[in-house]
Amino acid sequence: MAKPPALHSETEPVDRSDGPVESADWQPIAELCAAVAADLPGLVPGIADVIRREVPEYAVVPRVAHEIGIAEQYRGLLTGLASRRGPSREEHERAKALGQRRAGEGLPAQALISAYHVGYREMWNVLLSRANDGDARSSGRLVCLVGPVWSWVQEASSAAVQAFGDAVRAEDAAQLGLAYRFLNALYAPPSARGEVAHLARALAFDPTGEFQAVCAPASAWTDDQLIAMRRRFAGGPGVVRCVGHGSSMTVMTQGLSAGALVAAMAEANPGTPVGIGLRRPGTDGAAASLVDAEEALDLAGELGGTVAFEHQWMLATLVPRGGRLIPLLKRGREVAADHPDLASAVHTFADNGFSLTAASRVMHLHANTVKYRLDRWQQLTGWDVHTWEGLSSSKVALGLPAPPADTSG
């Protein structure tokens, strides 16, 4: 395992130059660093502009706080380079504190790393420009700074990223515990949900606002993916709480569109079935939306893709009870298996305003052919698709997934 970089006190010099350099020869470099340090108030805003342009995630970091952090880093860097030492223990601690702050501001870890590299690149460009414009001795010796500057980048960014990760994991663990308790309270009977409003507030939800649940199979999501999903929406918009609960990965949202959430889930985990609950008010609504999403997920697991309870409520509600309906629907399912052309005519007729003309246009058939197929469906099943009972029975029979095969005996 690689040995960690040594930490140094502010007064302990450590030669970080590339090769032996006499103190007198280093003097131009020290003077260059001191001059740049004196000009930091004028340099920092421009460098902050570059970072915020190249790393747009930094929009979540207040501008003033960002500039203060940059100035702290560069003062340490320039002082260290002038005295030929690496980051001191105090500077490591400041880097860690910076990482913790950025985690609390909702910044992604990769953005933090990128900002370090962009920032140090810009400072190197300043040193290079000043050296070329100034004393030829400092310009010639600037190559000796390549190693020390890179060491500063590595040591400072590593300290910040480590602290960032520790802060994220600590915050995630706290939120995860609350989210588990919140979901458990929602699963409880209404009379036993005494603390649900308190838990909702602790998770930054408005207990009287609208909630919406989204579910996916827990087996398809790793812990790291769940953490990344929670971090993705940590800075808004809306409130998003994501937790693996039983066989489901459950997301409870408020103030965020289901479309945006599902798009993020598909990006992180393509092809995973997703069930979307209705948007419902209050914590009782949150509990109902959770049931919606789980029932929609059961259907999505059979059909594939994403199923919204809003659009597939009938089938989603019936899937858990499908076994009880088999005697009622068996004949229609058998006819559909033997005559898929008849089943297609039923679907197309229902999905096109119950119009023979529209259905025939979609199917590229004569209207009389479509009518014949609907009549033939009625003869074989007893269901007239021009009536509510016949149409609903037909659509449920055709829409419910096939029951599991009987493997007994």
Side-chain angles (χ1 to χ4, degrees):
M1 190 165 87
K3 188 175 180 180
L7 300 181
H8 311 285
S9 71
E10 293 285 2
T11 59
E12 180 184 358
V14 176
D15 191 346
R16 292 297 185 92
S17 60
D18 294 342
V21 181
E22 297 296 333
S23 297
D25 291 336
W26 194 260
Q27 186 60 31
I29 297 296
E31 292 173 356
L32 171 64
C33 292
V36 173
D39 291 342
L40 278 179
L43 294 171
V44 166
I47 294 175
D49 287 339
V50 175
I51 294 174
R52 296 171 84 86
R53 182 171 63 249
E54 296 191 23
V55 191
E57 294 90 343
Y58 258 74
V60 302
V61 179
R63 175 70 187 228
V64 172
H66 188 193
E67 291 189 9
I68 290 173
I70 293 172
E72 284 182 353
Q73 294 171 48
Y74 290 160
R75 273 194 295 271
L77 169 68
L78 294 167
T79 302
L81 293 177
S83 56
R84 299 162 69 182
R85 63 165 176 80
S88 68
R89 188 176 303 279
E90 292 81 3
E91 285 156 351
H92 269 266
E93 292 304 316
R94 282 199 289 270
K96 290 180 180 180
L98 179 67
Q100 291 171 342
R101 287 199 301 272
R102 296 297 177 258
E105 290 160 342
L107 189 73
Q110 187 56 48
L112 177 64
I113 297 170
S114 298
Y116 264 94
H117 285 268
V118 172
Y120 280 110
R121 180 198 72 201
E122 292 302 302
M123 178 49 65
W124 174 257
N125 289 337
V126 170
L127 291 169
L128 185 62
S129 175
R130 296 288 183 91
N132 289 335
D133 292 343
D135 190 330
R137 292 179 304 156
S138 62
S139 178
R141 292 301 309 157
L142 198 59
V143 68
C144 298
L145 286 180
V146 173
V149 168
W150 181 240
S151 293
W152 271 85
V153 174
Q154 288 182 307
E155 292 185 32
S157 62
S158 295
V161 169
Q162 178 183 347
F164 180 100
D166 292 343
V168 167
R169 285 187 288 273
E171 173 65 17
D172 189 69
Q175 293 296 320
L176 193 59
L178 287 171
Y180 271 119
R181 290 172 59 192
F182 180 61
L183 286 181
N184 285 335
L186 293 180
Y187 281 113
S191 59
R193 294 179 190 159
E195 67 169 355
V196 70
H198 170 74
L199 290 170
R201 292 189 187 93
L203 290 166
F205 287 122
D206 173 4
T208 64
E210 287 192 327
F211 291 84
Q212 188 168 27
V214 176
C215 290
S219 58
W221 292 81
T222 66
D223 288 343
D224 287 344
Q225 285 176 316
L226 290 176
I227 291 173
M229 185 64 62
R230 288 190 282 268
R231 290 293 301 167
R232 178 166 185 159
F233 294 102
V239 181
V240 178
R241 301 302 178 196
C242 173
V243 61
H245 195 274
S247 62
S248 296
M249 189 278 277
T250 301
V251 186
M252 188 64 71
T253 70
Q254 196 171 73
L256 177 72
S257 72
L261 177 59
V262 171
M265 293 170 67
E267 180 182 329
N269 210 332
T272 302
V274 175
I276 305 174
L278 279 180
R279 192 181 299 273
R280 297 178 183 268
T283 52
D284 286 345
S289 184
L290 188 55
V291 175
D292 297 342
E294 290 179 337
E295 292 185 343
L297 177 60
D298 286 341
L299 183 59
E302 298 288 349
L303 304 181
T306 298
V307 172
F309 189 83
E310 178 181 6
H311 304 300
Q312 297 272 26
W313 59 269
M314 180 181 289
L315 291 179
T317 302
L318 293 176
V319 162
R321 304 159 185 83
R324 296 175 56 204
L325 302 176
I326 289 176
L328 298 173
L329 306 176
K330 181 179 179 181
R331 180 58 183 154
R333 296 168 74 86
E334 291 174 345
V335 171
D338 293 337
H339 303 279
D341 55 328
L342 304 186
S344 177
V346 172
H347 275 309
T348 308
F349 176 72
D351 294 343
N352 287 273
F354 312 107
S355 166
L356 288 173
T357 302
S360 64
R361 186 164 52 247
V362 170
M363 299 181 73
H364 305 289
L365 296 172
H366 193 280
N368 286 340
T369 302
V370 177
K371 181 179 185 303
Y372 167 79
R373 292 183 180 182
L374 296 179
D375 290 343
R376 183 63 175 156
W377 174 263
Q378 180 179 355
Q379 291 171 5
L380 295 175
T381 64
W383 296 332
D384 181 358
V385 296
H386 296 88
T387 67
W388 165 250
E389 182 179 357
L391 180 63
S392 60
S393 297
S394 299
K395 289 291 285 182
V396 171
L398 297 175
L400 279 181
D406 184 0
T407 58
S408 62

